[in-house]
Amino acid sequence: MAVPVILDCDPGHDDAFAIWLAAGDPNLNLLGITTVGGNGQLAQTTRNAQVVCTVAGIRDVPIAAGADSPLTRTLQTAGDIHGASALDGPVPPEPDVDLDPRGAVQLLHDLLTDSPQPVVVIATGPLTNIALLLRIHPQVRTKIKEIAWMGGSTGRGNVTPYAEFNCWVDPEAAAVVVAAGLRFSMVGLNVTHLALVTPEVLDQLAAVGNATSAFAVELLKFFRASYQEAEGMAAPPLHDPVAVALVAVPEIVTTVHTRLDIELHGPETVGATSVDLHNKLGRPANAHVAVDLDADRFWKTVEDAIRRMR
Ligand code: BDR
Ligand code: CA
């Protein structure tokens, strides 16, 4: 039976692929999409989620807007990677899917409460909405099977030397979610940097030959140019769908059960994820942290999902 999932995201080029994978993979049942300020302002990430669903013909999945800023900090966006709209590249269609008026936290609450089975919450942006959900509606905890997050890193960061973007934007939210005691999986840069959009990957996606793949290829061309400019990488890492793949086909991502702490105060390291892979601190394990990826199978899974779109 397909795993019920809710995707909390901040589209974003790689979030778009997370949406298509969550909607198109037969192992998943996408119940809803919630948006958060992150790669762009909330109004942008929300409209981008509508655009991404419109392109792919995803019409039966509610979309609700959530937090426009982190729990305590000022929102920092990622225009250097995702452009002024947070989804630059292809000309976006006018969205033909409405927003759910309930808002993200209420939609998450309602979908979790109404689901007969526990749900996996996949998060591919700052964890602000999820922290708010757990604070406002702690009773829904029993309906959350797992929180699978693209964020953090077992090594270096991508915004500061040690902090990854999603964690750095709202480290307090990440700390709240990690401390909640739910099953928590972290898919960080150490593994998403194995999901590289090589020329071969781009050719295979183009060969799918539907409207979604055409849009996807234009997104990736922009994303590739951004990464070339910002990071000097010729093949950009497509972070967010790796967290979806972990839930859809768990064998694709190797994880270890270990200790994860979020750095909130270090002047040089705020937003870093301290992953105690060698149990130096002797603290109990609290997270399933990704350490390896079957990249070939990952890309095949993404390609198959996009083939199921229009
Ligand atoms: C993460 O930051 C965002 O720019 C991407 O969408 C991804 O979620 C990678 O650090
Ligand atoms: Ca994202």
Side-chain angles (χ1 to χ4, degrees):
M1 208 208 304
V3 179
V5 300
I6 302 169
L7 179 63
D8 184 69
C9 57
D10 64 336
H13 293 67
D14 50 339
D15 300 83
F17 287 80
I19 291 174
W20 293 327
L21 182 54
D25 193 282
N27 294 334
L28 303 179
N29 174 19
L30 180 60
L31 303 178
I33 297 170
T34 52
T35 59
V36 65
N39 284 324
Q41 300 292 333
L42 178 68
Q44 296 177 306
T45 60
T46 304
R47 184 176 173 86
N48 292 345
Q50 293 175 281
V51 165
V52 167
C53 288
T54 299
V55 166
I58 302 166
R59 304 195 57 89
D60 51 351
V61 177
I63 305 170
D68 61 5
S69 56
L71 293 184
T72 62
R73 296 171 192 263
T74 302
L75 178 64
Q76 306 281 345
T77 57
D80 57 331
I81 298 293
H82 300 275
S85 73
L87 197 66
D88 276 9
V91 177
E94 195 57 33
D96 67 4
V97 290
D98 292 333
L99 280 187
D100 191 295
R102 281 174 284 185
V105 170
Q106 190 63 41
L107 180 65
L108 280 155
H109 166 273
D110 292 354
L111 292 173
L112 289 165
T113 305
D114 294 347
S115 174
Q117 284 173 267
V119 175
V120 178
V121 176
I122 304 172
T124 60
L127 284 166
T128 321
N129 288 339
I130 312 306
L132 290 170
L133 172 75
L134 295 174
R135 279 186 174 169
I136 297 169
H137 300 295
Q139 71 279 13
V140 301
R141 291 168 48 97
T142 56
K143 301 304 284 288
I144 299 177
K145 185 177 175 196
E146 176 181 5
I147 296 169
W149 179 49
M150 188 283 127
S153 172
T154 62
R156 307 283 287 198
N158 61 359
V159 184
T160 71
Y162 285 98
E164 179 279 333
F165 179 78
N166 290 338
C167 196
W168 177 78
V169 168
D170 198 347
E172 284 75 17
V176 166
V177 176
V178 171
L182 297 165
R183 183 182 166 99
F184 185 83
S185 297
M186 179 187 115
V187 177
L189 299 176
N190 54 297
V191 164
T192 65
H193 276 234
L194 302 173
L196 297 174
V197 185
T198 60
E200 295 72 34
V201 165
L202 209 51
D203 286 350
Q204 277 160 12
L205 284 172
V208 170
N210 61 16
T212 306
S213 80
F215 195 86
V217 166
E218 292 308 309
L219 284 179
L220 291 176
K221 286 180 180 166
F222 182 91
F223 197 57
R224 180 175 62 183
S226 290
Y227 259 92
Q228 178 75 63
E229 169 85 13
E231 307 270 345
M233 292 177 76
L238 201 66
H239 312 279
D240 291 339
V242 183
V244 183
L246 168 74
V247 182
V249 190
E251 312 90 82
I252 289 180
V253 185
T254 307
T255 62
V256 294
H257 193 208
T258 187
R259 180 74 195 185
L260 167 64
D261 292 287
I262 309 294
E263 178 59 73
L264 298 177
H265 303 296
E268 308 302 336
T269 54
V270 65
T273 43
S274 165
V275 181
D276 193 4
L277 288 172
H278 305 293
N279 195 22
K280 297 289 183 194
L281 303 174
R283 297 177 187 160
N286 62 350
H288 297 266
V289 174
V291 292
D292 203 4
L293 175 75
D294 182 340
D296 289 345
R297 208 159 159 207
F298 166 74
W299 286 117
K300 179 78 174 58
T301 304
V302 169
E303 194 187 307
D304 286 347
I306 288 178
R307 190 170 288 113
R308 289 189 198 93
M309 303 286 108
R310 76 173 172 198

